Amino acid sequence: MIKHLLQGRPFGHPLHPILNHFPIALFVISLLFDMATLFGYGENALVLASFYTMILGVVMGVLASITGLADYLDIRADHPGKRNATLHMGLNLAMLVLYATNLNLRNGDLASTSTPILPFVLSLVGVGIIGVSGYLGGQLVYDEGVGVGRHLRDADAPPQTLKVLSSRAGPDGFVAVAEEGALPEGATLRVQVDTNVMAVARIEGKTYAFQEFCTHRFGPLSEGNFHGYEVQCPWHQSCFDVRTGKVTQGPAKLDLNVYESKVEGGKVLVRVPNDEQ
Amino acid sequence: MKDFLQGKWLKHPLHPIMVHIPTALWPASLLFDLLANARNDNALVQAAFYMALFGWVAALGAIPAGIADWIDIKREKPAWRLGVYHMVLNITATLLWGINLLVRWGDVSTASSVGALPLGLSIAGTLILFVSGYLGGRMVYHYGIGIARLSKGKWRRIAERGGARVPKKEESAG
């Protein structure tokens, strides 16, 4: 599948964070070349060096955009990092347009011995944008864990959190969270009953519900990797038995909360957790 | 000192920011060498030299920041060993690019092409970098090194609000 290829899953490493090294570093050094020419160093050679590095930066930036979009598509709509991801994308696209304009302006004046002022100012703005945008992109990885451990899992991440209220529960305490068809074998749901967030997995036909957050650094188990009845956290590879919640591999030390769930009448249902848990 | 090198002040690990510079500029420098030799153009020779130089300066900064990240990995973890390979390869690449810069230093402002020795050093330095960069990426995207290190307080609050069982604060420090 083309999306999975652009996400780098076959390589065990996302592609976007590889490609984005190039525009970041090349746009910065292009600006340094401009500054050198404005201080009287390097003459025409560095005017050209600035131009050539910018061309390569734009080409790699376009490739980085395509792979970045593939990553963006798998961030669920209510993810706390989604807004920053959207902002990151908007800034990067604006930056590429700015640099394309910049190249166009420079193209007419490549014989000069110092970079003209307008393209230089555009480069300053461009590097400012890349600083902000790169920082946001880094936070998406290091704070939000986007793309981490994703290649270990075959299925896509749940596209959104399914929110239900316990007041809709039947007399047996179970509340319907989704149609049965939304949870095929090997897939997961991310479900919120009132404030309780849980992952629901389907293994050998049966459903298992457990707390969404790993007990190590609270990674998203609905995006985890499954081996038999074990779920592996995508962030630091802690494993838990989904039937009991017990830790089967660290770094996590504390067991998960597990919840009752079932399939009945074509619906996936979970039992409303009691507050003592 | 370790906190500074790990990027706590910036709320973002420092090593992966700094590595952008050599990771992109060293292969780009090699590309510009090849273009320089194809077109006999001093501007490209100069561009290749300064890219290698800027990459090298940033690599010198990336090394201590990387070591600061690595010393927090527990020895029994697979990522520890990967970190050793990554470090040794990067230090080797940095040495090669250092020699490369010395070789180029004399005639960078006049040469219109790049000789076999500096070109060979760039090819070797770039290949080592590719292997090492991939290992570094695996440390992040496969083993989760640095993930939620600075944001675990935020995630703890989100998990608590979501009704999760969470460890006491001192237990989740590791």
Short mmCIF file of all heavy atoms in Angstrom, two decimals, chain B residues 69-104:
data_model
loop_
_atom_site.label_atom_id
_atom_site.label_comp_id
_atom_site.label_asym_id
_atom_site.label_seq_id
_atom_site.Cartn_x
_atom_site.Cartn_y
_atom_site.Cartn_z
N ASP B 69 22.46 11.79 25.79
CA ASP B 69 21.25 10.97 25.62
C ASP B 69 21.56 9.50 25.89
O ASP B 69 20.75 8.78 26.49
CB ASP B 69 20.71 11.09 24.19
CG ASP B 69 19.99 12.41 23.95
OD1 ASP B 69 19.76 13.14 24.93
OD2 ASP B 69 19.66 12.71 22.79
N TRP B 70 22.72 9.06 25.43
CA TRP B 70 23.08 7.63 25.50
C TRP B 70 23.31 7.17 26.94
O TRP B 70 22.91 6.06 27.30
CB TRP B 70 24.33 7.39 24.65
CG TRP B 70 24.88 6.02 24.74
CD1 TRP B 70 24.35 4.88 24.19
CD2 TRP B 70 26.08 5.61 25.43
NE1 TRP B 70 25.14 3.81 24.49
CE2 TRP B 70 26.21 4.22 25.24
CE3 TRP B 70 27.04 6.29 26.17
CZ2 TRP B 70 27.26 3.50 25.79
CZ3 TRP B 70 28.09 5.57 26.71
CH2 TRP B 70 28.20 4.19 26.51
N ILE B 71 23.92 8.03 27.79
CA ILE B 71 24.25 7.54 29.14
C ILE B 71 23.01 7.28 29.99
O ILE B 71 23.10 6.59 31.00
CB ILE B 71 25.24 8.48 29.91
CG1 ILE B 71 24.72 9.89 29.95
CG2 ILE B 71 26.63 8.41 29.32
CD1 ILE B 71 25.64 10.82 30.73
N ASP B 72 21.85 7.76 29.56
CA ASP B 72 20.63 7.46 30.30
C ASP B 72 19.97 6.14 29.87
O ASP B 72 18.96 5.74 30.46
CB ASP B 72 19.61 8.60 30.15
CG ASP B 72 19.82 9.66 31.23
OD1 ASP B 72 20.80 9.54 31.99
OD2 ASP B 72 19.00 10.60 31.30
N ILE B 73 20.51 5.49 28.84
CA ILE B 73 19.93 4.21 28.40
C ILE B 73 20.51 3.11 29.28
O ILE B 73 21.72 3.06 29.50
CB ILE B 73 20.27 3.93 26.92
CG1 ILE B 73 19.82 5.09 26.04
CG2 ILE B 73 19.63 2.63 26.46
CD1 ILE B 73 20.29 4.98 24.60
N LYS B 74 19.63 2.23 29.78
CA LYS B 74 20.12 1.15 30.65
C LYS B 74 20.93 0.16 29.83
O LYS B 74 20.60 -0.16 28.70
CB LYS B 74 18.93 0.44 31.31
CG LYS B 74 18.21 1.33 32.32
CD LYS B 74 17.26 0.51 33.17
CE LYS B 74 16.49 1.39 34.14
NZ LYS B 74 15.40 2.15 33.49
N ARG B 75 21.98 -0.35 30.43
CA ARG B 75 22.95 -1.17 29.74
C ARG B 75 22.34 -2.45 29.15
O ARG B 75 22.76 -2.93 28.09
CB ARG B 75 24.05 -1.55 30.74
CG ARG B 75 25.13 -2.19 30.01
CD ARG B 75 26.45 -2.20 30.46
NE ARG B 75 27.07 -2.95 29.36
CZ ARG B 75 28.30 -3.28 29.26
NH1 ARG B 75 29.12 -2.91 30.17
NH2 ARG B 75 28.73 -3.96 28.24
N GLU B 76 21.31 -2.99 29.81
CA GLU B 76 20.75 -4.26 29.34
C GLU B 76 19.78 -4.07 28.15
O GLU B 76 19.33 -5.04 27.56
CB GLU B 76 20.05 -5.00 30.49
CG GLU B 76 18.82 -4.32 31.07
CD GLU B 76 19.14 -3.34 32.21
OE1 GLU B 76 20.32 -2.92 32.32
OE2 GLU B 76 18.22 -2.98 32.96
N LYS B 77 19.49 -2.83 27.79
CA LYS B 77 18.56 -2.58 26.68
C LYS B 77 19.26 -2.76 25.34
O LYS B 77 20.42 -2.37 25.20
CB LYS B 77 18.03 -1.14 26.74
CG LYS B 77 17.32 -0.79 28.01
CD LYS B 77 15.91 -1.24 27.95
CE LYS B 77 15.23 -1.00 29.28
NZ LYS B 77 13.98 -1.69 29.39
N PRO B 78 18.54 -3.29 24.32
CA PRO B 78 19.16 -3.41 22.99
C PRO B 78 19.61 -2.05 22.43
O PRO B 78 20.58 -1.98 21.68
CB PRO B 78 18.06 -4.02 22.11
CG PRO B 78 16.89 -4.26 22.98
CD PRO B 78 17.16 -3.80 24.36
N ALA B 79 18.91 -0.99 22.82
CA ALA B 79 19.26 0.33 22.29
C ALA B 79 20.63 0.80 22.79
O ALA B 79 21.27 1.64 22.16
CB ALA B 79 18.19 1.35 22.68
N TRP B 80 21.10 0.26 23.92
CA TRP B 80 22.41 0.66 24.44
C TRP B 80 23.51 0.27 23.47
O TRP B 80 24.36 1.06 23.11
CB TRP B 80 22.64 0.00 25.81
CG TRP B 80 23.89 0.47 26.51
CD1 TRP B 80 24.00 1.54 27.33
CD2 TRP B 80 25.20 -0.13 26.44
NE1 TRP B 80 25.31 1.67 27.77
CE2 TRP B 80 26.06 0.66 27.25
CE3 TRP B 80 25.73 -1.24 25.78
CZ2 TRP B 80 27.41 0.36 27.41
CZ3 TRP B 80 27.07 -1.53 25.94
CH2 TRP B 80 27.90 -0.73 26.75
N ARG B 81 23.44 -0.99 23.02
CA ARG B 81 24.44 -1.50 22.09
C ARG B 81 24.36 -0.77 20.74
O ARG B 81 25.37 -0.42 20.14
CB ARG B 81 24.21 -3.00 21.89
CG ARG B 81 25.21 -3.68 20.99
CD ARG B 81 24.86 -5.16 20.87
NE ARG B 81 25.32 -5.89 22.03
CZ ARG B 81 26.49 -6.56 22.06
NH1 ARG B 81 27.26 -6.58 21.01
NH2 ARG B 81 26.86 -7.21 23.13
N LEU B 82 23.11 -0.56 20.29
CA LEU B 82 22.90 0.20 19.06
C LEU B 82 23.53 1.59 19.18
O LEU B 82 24.14 2.11 18.24
CB LEU B 82 21.39 0.33 18.83
CG LEU B 82 20.87 0.37 17.41
CD1 LEU B 82 21.32 -0.84 16.63
CD2 LEU B 82 19.34 0.45 17.45
N GLY B 83 23.39 2.17 20.37
CA GLY B 83 23.97 3.48 20.64
C GLY B 83 25.49 3.46 20.55
O GLY B 83 26.10 4.42 20.06
N VAL B 84 26.10 2.36 20.97
CA VAL B 84 27.57 2.25 20.87
C VAL B 84 27.99 2.24 19.40
O VAL B 84 28.89 2.97 19.00
CB VAL B 84 28.08 0.98 21.59
CG1 VAL B 84 29.58 0.80 21.35
CG2 VAL B 84 27.80 1.07 23.08
N TYR B 85 27.31 1.41 18.60
CA TYR B 85 27.64 1.35 17.16
C TYR B 85 27.47 2.74 16.53
O TYR B 85 28.31 3.21 15.76
CB TYR B 85 26.73 0.35 16.42
CG TYR B 85 26.88 -1.09 16.86
CD1 TYR B 85 25.80 -1.96 16.84
CD2 TYR B 85 28.12 -1.58 17.28
CE1 TYR B 85 25.93 -3.29 17.23
CE2 TYR B 85 28.26 -2.91 17.67
CZ TYR B 85 27.16 -3.75 17.65
OH TYR B 85 27.30 -5.05 18.05
N HIS B 86 26.32 3.36 16.85
CA HIS B 86 25.99 4.68 16.30
C HIS B 86 27.09 5.69 16.67
O HIS B 86 27.56 6.45 15.82
CB HIS B 86 24.63 5.08 16.90
CG HIS B 86 24.12 6.45 16.57
ND1 HIS B 86 23.71 6.79 15.30
CD2 HIS B 86 23.94 7.55 17.34
CE1 HIS B 86 23.30 8.06 15.32
NE2 HIS B 86 23.44 8.54 16.53
N MET B 87 27.53 5.63 17.91
CA MET B 87 28.55 6.58 18.38
C MET B 87 29.89 6.34 17.68
O MET B 87 30.52 7.28 17.19
CB MET B 87 28.69 6.44 19.89
CG MET B 87 29.74 7.33 20.52
SD MET B 87 29.52 7.49 22.31
CE MET B 87 29.27 5.81 22.83
N VAL B 88 30.31 5.08 17.63
CA VAL B 88 31.61 4.75 17.03
C VAL B 88 31.61 5.15 15.55
O VAL B 88 32.56 5.77 15.05
CB VAL B 88 31.94 3.25 17.21
CG1 VAL B 88 33.16 2.86 16.38
CG2 VAL B 88 32.18 2.94 18.68
N LEU B 89 30.53 4.84 14.85
CA LEU B 89 30.45 5.19 13.43
C LEU B 89 30.48 6.71 13.25
O LEU B 89 31.14 7.23 12.34
CB LEU B 89 29.18 4.61 12.81
CG LEU B 89 29.17 3.10 12.62
CD1 LEU B 89 27.78 2.62 12.21
CD2 LEU B 89 30.18 2.68 11.55
N ASN B 90 29.77 7.42 14.10
CA ASN B 90 29.72 8.88 13.95
C ASN B 90 31.06 9.52 14.25
O ASN B 90 31.46 10.49 13.57
CB ASN B 90 28.65 9.48 14.86
CG ASN B 90 27.27 9.28 14.29
OD1 ASN B 90 27.12 9.12 13.09
ND2 ASN B 90 26.28 9.29 15.14
N ILE B 91 31.74 9.01 15.26
CA ILE B 91 33.06 9.58 15.57
C ILE B 91 34.02 9.28 14.41
O ILE B 91 34.79 10.15 13.99
CB ILE B 91 33.56 9.04 16.93
CG1 ILE B 91 32.69 9.65 18.05
CG2 ILE B 91 35.03 9.38 17.14
CD1 ILE B 91 32.92 9.07 19.42
N THR B 92 33.93 8.07 13.86
CA THR B 92 34.75 7.73 12.68
C THR B 92 34.44 8.67 11.51
O THR B 92 35.35 9.21 10.87
CB THR B 92 34.48 6.27 12.25
OG1 THR B 92 34.61 5.44 13.39
CG2 THR B 92 35.45 5.83 11.17
N ALA B 93 33.16 8.86 11.24
CA ALA B 93 32.76 9.74 10.13
C ALA B 93 33.27 11.16 10.37
O ALA B 93 33.78 11.81 9.44
CB ALA B 93 31.24 9.74 9.97
N THR B 94 33.17 11.63 11.60
CA THR B 94 33.62 12.99 11.90
C THR B 94 35.14 13.12 11.69
O THR B 94 35.61 14.13 11.15
CB THR B 94 33.23 13.37 13.34
OG1 THR B 94 31.81 13.15 13.50
CG2 THR B 94 33.53 14.82 13.65
N LEU B 95 35.89 12.07 12.08
CA LEU B 95 37.34 12.08 11.84
C LEU B 95 37.65 12.11 10.34
O LEU B 95 38.48 12.89 9.88
CB LEU B 95 37.99 10.84 12.47
CG LEU B 95 38.16 10.88 13.99
CD1 LEU B 95 38.66 9.53 14.50
CD2 LEU B 95 39.15 11.98 14.38
N LEU B 96 36.94 11.27 9.58
CA LEU B 96 37.17 11.22 8.13
C LEU B 96 36.89 12.57 7.48
O LEU B 96 37.64 13.04 6.63
CB LEU B 96 36.29 10.16 7.48
CG LEU B 96 36.74 8.70 7.64
CD1 LEU B 96 35.76 7.77 6.95
CD2 LEU B 96 38.14 8.51 7.05
N TRP B 97 35.77 13.19 7.89
CA TRP B 97 35.43 14.50 7.30
C TRP B 97 36.41 15.56 7.75
O TRP B 97 36.69 16.51 7.02
CB TRP B 97 33.98 14.88 7.62
CG TRP B 97 33.00 14.16 6.75
CD1 TRP B 97 32.32 13.02 7.04
CD2 TRP B 97 32.63 14.51 5.41
NE1 TRP B 97 31.54 12.63 5.98
CE2 TRP B 97 31.70 13.53 4.97
CE3 TRP B 97 32.97 15.54 4.54
CZ2 TRP B 97 31.12 13.57 3.70
CZ3 TRP B 97 32.39 15.59 3.27
CH2 TRP B 97 31.47 14.60 2.86
N GLY B 98 36.98 15.41 8.95
CA GLY B 98 38.01 16.35 9.42
C GLY B 98 39.25 16.27 8.54
O GLY B 98 39.79 17.29 8.09
N ILE B 99 39.70 15.03 8.26
CA ILE B 99 40.86 14.83 7.38
C ILE B 99 40.54 15.39 5.99
O ILE B 99 41.35 16.10 5.37
CB ILE B 99 41.21 13.32 7.30
CG1 ILE B 99 41.64 12.81 8.67
CG2 ILE B 99 42.30 13.06 6.26
CD1 ILE B 99 41.67 11.28 8.78
N ASN B 100 39.34 15.08 5.53
CA ASN B 100 38.86 15.54 4.22
C ASN B 100 38.98 17.06 4.09
O ASN B 100 39.50 17.59 3.10
CB ASN B 100 37.40 15.08 4.12
CG ASN B 100 36.86 15.09 2.70
OD1 ASN B 100 37.39 15.80 1.84
ND2 ASN B 100 35.82 14.33 2.47
N LEU B 101 38.55 17.77 5.14
CA LEU B 101 38.61 19.24 5.11
C LEU B 101 40.05 19.73 5.04
O LEU B 101 40.36 20.67 4.30
CB LEU B 101 37.93 19.80 6.37
CG LEU B 101 36.41 19.73 6.36
CD1 LEU B 101 35.86 19.98 7.77
CD2 LEU B 101 35.84 20.77 5.39
N LEU B 102 40.94 19.05 5.80
CA LEU B 102 42.36 19.43 5.76
C LEU B 102 42.95 19.25 4.36
O LEU B 102 43.68 20.11 3.87
CB LEU B 102 43.15 18.58 6.77
CG LEU B 102 42.98 18.96 8.24
CD1 LEU B 102 43.75 17.98 9.12
CD2 LEU B 102 43.48 20.39 8.47
N VAL B 103 42.58 18.13 3.74
CA VAL B 103 43.08 17.84 2.38
C VAL B 103 42.61 18.92 1.40
O VAL B 103 43.35 19.35 0.51
CB VAL B 103 42.59 16.44 1.93
CG1 VAL B 103 42.90 16.21 0.45
CG2 VAL B 103 43.24 15.36 2.78
N ARG B 104 41.37 19.38 1.58
CA ARG B 104 40.80 20.35 0.64
C ARG B 104 41.27 21.78 0.88
O ARG B 104 41.15 22.64 0.00
CB ARG B 104 39.27 20.34 0.75
CG ARG B 104 38.64 19.11 0.15
CD ARG B 104 37.17 18.99 0.57
NE ARG B 104 36.66 17.69 0.18
CZ ARG B 104 35.73 17.50 -0.75
NH1 ARG B 104 35.17 18.53 -1.36
NH2 ARG B 104 35.33 16.29 -1.06
#
